[in-house]
Amino acid sequence: MRTDIAFKTQDGLTLAGWLFSPGTRGRSPTIVMAHGFSAVKEQYLDKYGEAFADAGFAVLIYDNRNFGASEGLPRQEVDPVLQVRDYRDAMTFAATLAQVDPLRIGVWGSSYSGGHVLQVAAYDRRVKCVVAQVPDISGSMDLRLAIRPDLLPGLFAAFEEDRAARYQGAGPVMLEVVNEDPKSDCALPGQDAYDFFVGSQKQRAPAWRNEVTLRSVEMLNEYEPGSVIDRISPTPLLMLVAKRDALTVTDLALKAYEQALQPKHLELLEGGHFDPYLSGFDQSSQYAIEWFAKHL
């Protein structure tokens, strides 16, 4: 059963989402989850919520601040540090619910939020189990792999100009998340990113908007979630890595996995970055269910 929920962050915003209940009596092991860079919960997180609830878990899913049904300004700005803090506030909220066992809470994240849950699990021992699907490992490397080296100085100059203008009261510079033209200036280049976001917007997520602030990309460049992966232990970590991931690239994820301590487990998924939500959903969700069932 799915119900609408809302909760307050410690800085006073209301984040909105869903609670999936397993239909069993008493308190249930619970999974807290949010989406990746610019995405909203309707972009296939409901499928995971349903699958996890069918397996006996309560599932709390919410839109990140500044996106979808959640509050926050400026709209369409991705702040990874605040999103990590919101995960922790979501856990605090979940622990107040009658159907949630506060001693059995796990976190799931994918792509950008896959990096977030690495950070959450590294610092918050309330997390009893973590699943990081196609996780972001290094924002600065993401940027350098996506943008030609000769274009980086111009991008950094644009960061500085935007920062100076916003300090004087100007609105944020915006850019597209995806664009079909491989030469365009967008946050997430590549045909697979365009197909996923635009396709899911048309089919199931009209609330998704194809824009983010330029500062979102500046903050991406400053974000290094893989740097704390060795601090997650002794919390059990499952990493789901796509074999042909061109966005949060496969080799970076595999290198980070080697730096993590036990207990840990790795599963390699067929396809690219967005296939776990689509053609690989049955496999990606089942791996997560088995890990949560074992450790929650």
Side-chain angles (χ1 to χ4, degrees):
M1 182 178 68
R2 188 180 91 182
T3 56
D4 293 337
I5 57 92
F7 63 94
K8 288 284 188 182
T9 65
Q10 291 201 15
D11 58 347
L13 295 183
T14 298
L15 304 187
W18 301 316
L19 179 67
F20 288 83
S21 300
T24 55
R25 292 184 178 181
R27 294 181 177 270
S28 301
T30 300
I31 302 165
V32 173
M33 52 193 294
H35 223 316
F37 191 92
S38 88
V40 295
K41 61 187 183 299
E42 289 83 4
Q43 288 168 304
Y44 301 102
L45 290 196
D46 52 334
K47 290 178 60 178
Y48 285 96
E50 291 166 358
F52 295 163
D54 287 345
F57 301 96
V59 189
L60 177 65
I61 300 173
Y62 63 94
D63 277 331
N64 287 306
R65 64 170 61 215
N66 308 338
F67 290 89
S70 290
E71 292 182 346
L73 296 174
R75 300 303 292 174
Q76 304 300 118
E77 182 154 284
V78 186
D79 187 325
V81 173
L82 294 181
Q83 288 184 356
V84 167
R85 292 175 184 171
D86 292 342
Y87 254 99
R88 300 178 73 179
D89 288 342
M91 292 169 55
T92 301
F93 167 71
T96 69
L97 301 176
Q99 56 268 70
V100 170
D101 184 344
L103 300 180
R104 291 189 292 165
I105 293 179
V107 292
W108 179 100
S110 188
S111 191
Y112 213 30
S113 67
H116 296 352
V117 296
L118 298 179
Q119 292 241 318
V120 173
Y123 294 119
D124 197 326
R125 291 302 164 195
R126 294 177 300 169
V127 176
K128 296 303 185 287
C129 182
V130 55
V131 175
Q133 176 174 287
V134 293
D136 181 54
I137 298 299
S138 168
S140 62
M141 285 301 298
D142 293 342
L143 211 62
R144 282 153 179 80
L145 291 168
I147 299 175
R148 282 179 13 212
D150 58 312
L151 299 179
L152 282 173
L155 177 63
F156 295 148
F159 291 161
E160 295 170 6
E161 293 168 6
D162 178 54
R163 182 179 288 274
R166 290 175 70 156
Y167 186 77
Q168 297 297 329
V173 172
M174 309 297 293
L175 74 161
E176 291 180 310
V177 179
V178 294
N179 190 297
E180 204 166 17
D181 182 356
K183 297 180 180 180
S184 69
D185 294 325
C186 65
L188 302 179
Q191 187 66 45
D192 57 343
Y194 178 85
D195 291 344
F196 173 81
F197 280 102
V198 174
S200 59
Q201 180 191 41
K202 293 177 180 178
Q203 297 169 11
R204 56 177 30 239
W208 180 77
R209 290 165 52 186
N210 188 19
E211 61 176 3
V212 289
T213 64
L214 178 62
R215 188 163 67 175
S216 300
V217 180
E218 182 181 17
M219 288 187 284
L220 167 66
N221 187 52
E222 302 164 356
Y223 189 46
E224 301 293 333
S227 65
V228 296
I229 197 168
D230 60 332
R231 301 184 189 181
I232 294 173
S233 177
T235 302
L237 165 66
L238 171 65
M239 283 183 60
L240 303 176
V241 177
K243 294 180 180 179
R244 297 193 301 276
D245 197 327
L247 194 61
T248 56
V249 293
T250 306
D251 57 343
L252 283 182
L254 295 178
K255 182 179 180 180
Y257 177 78
E258 291 303 316
Q259 295 169 345
L261 306 179
Q262 295 289 349
K264 63 179 180 177
H265 186 68
L266 171 71
E267 293 287 356
L268 292 175
L269 305 176
E270 297 298 329
H273 185 78
F274 297 97
D275 287 308
Y277 308 103
L278 302 168
S279 61
F281 170 77
D282 288 343
Q283 185 179 54
S284 69
S285 60
Q286 187 58 39
Y287 283 145
I289 287 168
E290 291 171 1
W291 191 251
F292 285 127
K294 180 177 181 179
H295 294 288
L296 289 185

